[in-house]
């Protein structure tokens, strides 16, 4: 059976765990060759068949060019860029330092722009260029001490829509995912340490459960494949209906 991403080449960031790991594995299972990007030392459990790990800090000065060059050198092309890497810093605005704020924005937003910019010349050559970015349902704001995170994710939504408008003439689509309460490498420790908090968030979901990385990976696959070929500039909430209650 031919996979939905046969003959495609992809970059997935934040790919050593959570949403990125699940997406890289699913993309590869659907026929793509995948460069899985994450920080040095993060790939402790190995990677799926068809996935090539690449260890680097995506915020580094020459990181975007090195990442794209590695993918194109190994695969001969680039068709899909999934900017998924992200961090959080839980601190109320009155307590957050400039350095902490800047780091969240650097990883969650500025790196999305820089890596996309490096990838665009190669995506233009693709018959089915795709940019997928991970935003968040919290881009609208929250009172959980996530001001920097919310600001960065709102920026991801805005920049993705701009990409869609700029790049549509090349046949490139650009969309963003809006995860709700998902059990990932970033949130899992919180849910495990405080199951009562996990239970609260599960009950906020219309489907009465926390999301899993594969839920987001399947949505990303849709946007990366021909199935999503006429969808661009859109935010897809993968939240179990969480935002219906807001």
């Amino acid at each position: 059976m031919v996979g939905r991403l046969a003959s495609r080449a992809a970059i997935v960031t934040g790919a050593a765990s959570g949403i990125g790991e699940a997406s890289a594995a699913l993309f590869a299972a659907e026929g793509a060759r995948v460069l899985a990007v994450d920080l040095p030392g993060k790939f402790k459990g190995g990677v799926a068949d068809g996935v090539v790990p690449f260890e680097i800090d995506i915020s580094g000065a020459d990181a975007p060019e090195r990442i794209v060059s590695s993918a194109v050198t190994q695969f001969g092309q680039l068709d899909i860029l999934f900017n998924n890497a992200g961090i959080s810093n839980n601190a109320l605005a009155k307590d957050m330092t400039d350095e902490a704020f800047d780091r969240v924005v650097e990883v969650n937003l500025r790196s999305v722009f820089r890596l996309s910019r490096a990838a665009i010349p190669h995506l233009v050559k693709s018959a089915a260029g795709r940019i997928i970015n991970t935003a968040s349902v919290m881009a609208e704001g929250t009172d959980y001490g996530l001001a920097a995170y919310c600001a960065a994710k709102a920026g991801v939504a805005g920049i993705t829509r701009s990409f869609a408008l700029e790049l549509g003439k090349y046949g490139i689509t650009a969309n963003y995912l809006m995860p709700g309460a998902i059990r990932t490498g970033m949130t899992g420790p919180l849910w495990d340490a405080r199951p009562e908090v996990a239970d609260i968030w599960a009950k906020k979901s219309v489907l009465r459960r926390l999301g899993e990385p594969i839920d987001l990976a399947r949505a990303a696959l849709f946007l990366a494949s021909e199935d999503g070929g006429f969808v661009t500039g859109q935010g897809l909430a993968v939240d179990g209906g969480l935002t219906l209650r807001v």
Side-chain angles (χ1 to χ4, degrees):
M1 180 178 178
V2 177
R4 282 177 280 180
L5 299 183
S7 302
R8 306 281 180 82
I11 294 171
V12 179
T13 67
S17 65
I19 295 166
E21 181 182 28
S23 298
L26 184 58
F27 284 12
E30 290 287 342
R33 294 159 293 167
V34 182
L35 188 75
V37 180
D38 216 315
L39 291 167
K42 289 289 187 178
F43 291 99
K44 297 177 181 178
V47 295
D49 291 343
V51 176
V52 178
F54 188 82
E55 298 186 337
I56 194 170
D57 181 344
I58 61 170
S59 67
D62 61 349
E65 289 72 23
R66 290 178 58 190
I67 292 167
V68 171
S69 176
S70 179
V72 173
T73 297
Q74 295 187 69
F75 306 143
Q77 66 192 74
L78 178 61
D79 306 285
I80 302 160
L81 173 61
F82 185 9
N83 288 301
N84 168 73
I87 62 172
S88 179
N89 187 314
N90 290 60
L92 295 177
K94 67 182 182 64
D95 300 320
M96 180 169 285
T97 64
D98 288 352
E99 292 76 16
F101 183 92
D102 290 347
R103 180 60 180 166
V104 172
V105 173
E106 176 75 35
V107 175
N108 292 9
L109 177 57
R110 190 165 182 266
S111 293
V112 169
F113 169 72
R114 295 176 67 236
L115 186 51
S116 298
R117 181 179 60 189
I120 286 169
H122 302 280
L123 295 175
V124 166
K125 299 175 185 177
S126 172
R130 303 283 191 267
I131 296 175
I132 305 164
N133 299 324
T134 298
S136 172
V137 296
M138 290 188 177
E140 297 293 326
T142 181
D143 60 353
Y144 289 94
L146 294 171
Y149 181 84
C150 294
K153 292 302 186 180
V156 169
I159 203 171
T160 307
R161 291 191 292 268
S162 292
F163 288 160
L165 288 164
E166 289 187 19
L167 303 175
K169 62 185 176 183
Y170 304 110
I172 298 171
T173 68
N175 297 285
Y176 57 99
L177 298 175
M178 298 185 292
I182 312 297
R183 188 184 297 277
T184 68
M186 187 168 67
T187 63
L190 171 62
W191 308 140
D192 293 339
R194 300 186 61 187
E196 72 280 5
V197 176
D199 186 59
I200 289 171
W201 280 100
K203 288 179 178 177
K204 287 184 178 184
S205 163
V206 172
L207 299 178
R208 297 296 194 275
R209 69 173 177 88
L210 295 175
E212 299 294 337
I214 191 62
D215 295 316
L216 275 297
R218 289 169 179 148
L221 173 62
F222 163 72
L223 294 173
S225 72
E226 288 300 321
D227 296 337
F230 201 57
V231 179
T232 195
Q234 303 303 306
L236 177 56
V238 186
D239 66 351
L242 175 68
T243 48
L244 292 174
R245 298 187 182 279
V246 176

